């Protein structure tokens, strides 16, 4: 299962919560990072959260900082995105990405994208 698979789509009201999951169990000897992206209709896909496996640090876009939390269960090869205090602006297709942007011997950059899961927040 090299290609990530997202789950947890749903429709919630403003202020509600939702948790997304991403499973990517395919083995690779090359290290990689796990990221969440989202894309609203008519807008470009944006990175909203990332776990950097090198040092365990995380990244959050300003638009979700303080409301979303990314976590990872290494044993299950699963990444989670806990979304709290959802807003209508959060309505988008959410995508999981498994990949690396850096090159090392025998390990070139790569990216595997999930199919996306829809999140709708009503006002």
């Amino acid at each position: 299962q090299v290609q990530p698979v997202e789950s947890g789509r749903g429709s919630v009201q403003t202020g509600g919560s939702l948790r997304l999951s991403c499973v990517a169990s395919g083995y690779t000897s090359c290290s990689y990072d796990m990221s969440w992206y989202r894309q609203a209709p008519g807008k470009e896909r944006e990175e909203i959260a990332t776990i950097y496996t090198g040092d365990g640090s995380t990244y959050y876009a300003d638009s979700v900082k303080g409301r979303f939390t990314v976590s990872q269960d290494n044993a299950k090869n699963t990444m989670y995105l806990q979304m709290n205090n959802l807003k209508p602006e959060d309505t988008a297709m959410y995508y999981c990405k498994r990949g690396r942007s850096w090159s090392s011997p025998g390990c070139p950059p790569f990216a595997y994208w999930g199919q996306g899961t829809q999140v709708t927040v009503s006002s």
Side-chain angles (χ1 to χ4, degrees):
Q1 197 175 29
V2 176
Q3 181 179 12
V5 178
E6 303 98 333
S7 63
R9 68 174 181 175
S11 298
V12 299
Q13 294 183 339
T14 298
S17 298
L18 196 65
R19 187 176 75 168
L20 305 181
S21 300
C22 170
V23 178
S25 59
Y27 174 79
T28 176
S29 60
C30 303
S31 61
Y32 57 89
D33 297 327
M34 297 287 288
S35 301
W36 285 102
Y37 286 72
R38 70 182 181 186
Q39 186 169 26
K43 297 186 177 181
E44 294 186 354
R45 189 171 299 185
E46 63 172 339
E47 181 182 4
I48 58 173
T50 295
I51 294 179
Y52 300 101
T53 58
D55 58 7
S57 62
T58 57
Y59 160 82
Y60 294 98
D62 290 340
S63 58
V64 306
K65 191 176 300 180
R67 300 187 298 118
F68 292 9
T69 302
V70 63
S71 61
Q72 184 172 231
D73 185 337
N74 292 327
K76 297 182 178 181
N77 295 298
T78 302
M79 179 177 63
Y80 303 95
L81 183 66
Q82 178 65 48
M83 303 182 291
N84 298 324
N85 192 24
L86 284 163
K87 305 175 181 180
E89 302 92 280
D90 297 319
T91 297
M93 284 288 291
Y94 284 72
Y95 300 88
C96 177
K97 187 188 79 173
R98 180 193 193 190
R100 57 184 286 136
S101 60
W102 65 101
S103 179
S104 62
C107 296
F110 70 87
Y112 295 99
W113 291 86
Q115 78 287 349
T117 186
Q118 178 68 39
V119 172
T120 301
V121 184
S122 61
S123 59

